[in-house]
Amino acid sequence: MPSFMASVAALSLLLTLVAAAPEHAFPPPEDPFADPANDPYNPLRYIASNVLTGIAFGLIILTAIGQSLCIKKWGAKWMLSMTIGAYTFALGIAMRFGLAVNPEGKGIYIVEYLFVVLSPCAFIAANYVLLGRLARHLDADQYLLVRPRRITIVFISSDITTFLIQAAGGALSISADDGDTALIGSRVFLAGLALQLVSFLVFTCVFLVFMYRINKHEPETVIKDRHLPWYQDWRSLAAALLISCIGILVSWMSCIHVFDIHARQIRSVYRTIELSEGFQGRLATSEAFFYGLDTLPLFIAIVIYLPFWPGRFIPSVDVNAETRTLEGKQPDEKVKT
């Protein structure tokens, strides 16, 4: 799996740079719990709350287990990347227990940051695949701006590329002990996040255009499941996909403080703004921002699929796709808006 190999490469790069990072020129404070906000050895600049960590970890790991059970019961193994990402996201959150005990543990922090920041790439990849599968299931491939196969190839390739850029930039910035190297790493990381944000915004536009076109040209398809239960109505799945996309975008979203002005932007933009302030900016050193503007939206983006698991709507053997193939239909013909 390319994304898995990218994760391994990113982790190796981060740990290598951590091992090679120079030490601070001055000794650490005697008590790391006394004044964490002004402790240069504390990457969070606060003591992580075990209560909040426990709640977040519990919710995310239960979601991951729930998705695993959904795959076993209803199929849709092509959503496995999201499930794996949920497990790694939970692992990243769990590392905060270690930071509560050892707030100056740079190695613990880097592993935590790696999994928390990069796990959503797996959520995004699952949404890319889902849109193509949904279009085929509805026999509506022609309403996509990009062919279903190309959606998966193009956007996942973009996801992996920006993933590696973020990993490289994050490694440089977090492990650096001098301002110049940290600044370079932050800018590289920021570039990767900006590119990922653009890519996901384009994907979201492709999805919205698809919904607009199918409503305009095939209203009968829109209401074809109206007599079925909600868990078999494809519109429920489309709504879940939209909520997931919004959750990912909002988690990139936060307040940036520049010249005493707070501007709301768009989880790609939360991380983008965070890095534009530097790893010691207000967003990067606020536990409330971390959980409220990053973790919660991402949790919503993945937990939404528990009641709306794609395997309940799209069977493993898609009858519509097989019929198109037998009839020799060309599903990728473009239509005008």
Side-chain angles (χ1 to χ4, degrees), residues 2-309:
S3 59
F4 174 75
M5 296 305 296
S7 301
V8 173
L11 178 59
S12 301
L13 175 60
L14 283 168
L15 295 180
T16 299
L17 288 175
V18 172
E23 297 295 329
H24 286 283
F26 43 88
E30 293 183 3
D31 184 2
F33 298 93
D35 187 16
N38 296 307
D39 180 3
Y41 285 84
N42 184 333
L44 292 178
R45 297 302 176 94
Y46 59 82
I47 304 302
S49 167
N50 281 332
V51 174
L52 293 177
T53 299
I55 293 173
F57 173 77
L59 291 174
I60 295 169
I61 197 67
L62 285 175
T63 299
I65 293 171
Q67 288 192 0
S68 300
L69 295 176
C70 287
I71 291 176
K72 182 176 180 180
K73 183 173 183 179
W74 291 298
K77 292 182 178 179
W78 34 271
M79 291 289 290
L80 192 59
S81 65
M82 177 173 286
T83 305
I84 294 174
Y87 281 113
T88 58
F89 190 43
L91 176 60
I93 295 294
M95 298 304 294
R96 296 174 70 86
F97 285 120
L99 289 173
V101 177
N102 181 18
E104 297 178 348
K106 178 179 281 190
I108 299 174
Y109 172 69
I110 287 190
V111 174
E112 181 261 352
Y113 202 87
L114 168 74
F115 286 114
V116 168
V117 173
L118 301 181
S119 291
C121 294
F123 308 160
I124 294 170
N127 283 342
Y128 292 158
V129 177
L130 174 56
L131 178 56
R133 294 273 183 165
L134 179 61
R136 289 194 184 99
H137 171 68
L138 296 175
D139 191 12
D141 300 13
Q142 66 272 24
Y143 299 121
L144 287 171
L145 291 172
V146 184
R147 294 180 180 182
R149 289 184 181 179
R150 289 184 180 177
I151 284 180
T152 302
I153 295 173
V154 171
F155 286 107
I156 289 184
S157 296
S158 171
D159 203 30
I160 293 173
T161 301
T162 56
F163 176 100
L164 293 175
I165 294 173
Q166 291 172 56
L172 285 173
S173 189
I174 299 174
S175 62
D177 280 327
D178 63 276
D180 292 338
T181 302
L183 180 60
I184 293 172
S186 293
R187 287 176 175 173
V188 171
F189 194 102
L190 184 60
L193 286 169
L195 290 172
Q196 188 179 52
L197 173 60
V198 170
S199 176
F200 194 68
L201 281 173
V202 171
F203 167 77
T204 304
C205 289
V206 170
F207 171 55
L208 293 175
V209 169
F210 168 75
M211 293 301 298
Y212 168 77
R213 286 180 167 183
I214 200 170
N215 272 278
K216 179 179 180 181
H217 298 288
E218 292 192 18
E220 66 281 358
T221 299
V222 176
I223 61 173
K224 75 181 186 69
D225 293 338
R226 64 185 182 280
H227 298 304
L228 298 176
W230 61 267
Y231 53 82
Q232 293 180 337
D233 190 332
W234 75 269
R235 292 172 295 182
S236 299
L237 179 58
L241 175 56
L242 178 61
I243 292 172
S244 181
C245 290
I246 293 173
I248 292 171
L249 289 172
V250 168
S251 90
W252 268 324
M253 185 174 177
S254 186
C255 296
I256 184 172
H257 185 75
V258 179
F259 302 111
D260 295 325
I261 297 176
H262 291 272
R264 291 200 173 271
Q265 305 287 337
I266 321 181
R267 178 159 169 246
S268 280
V269 180
Y270 166 80
R271 289 293 177 187
T272 302
I273 297 173
E274 177 190 45
L275 265 296
S276 68
E277 292 182 328
F279 280 95
Q280 301 306 325
R282 184 183 177 191
L283 293 183
T285 57
S286 172
E287 193 166 26
F289 278 127
F290 172 75
Y291 284 112
L293 298 176
D294 190 26
T295 307
L296 179 59
L298 286 175
F299 170 69
I300 294 173
I302 58 176
V303 75
I304 188 64
Y305 286 115
L306 286 183
F308 303 104
W309 188 249

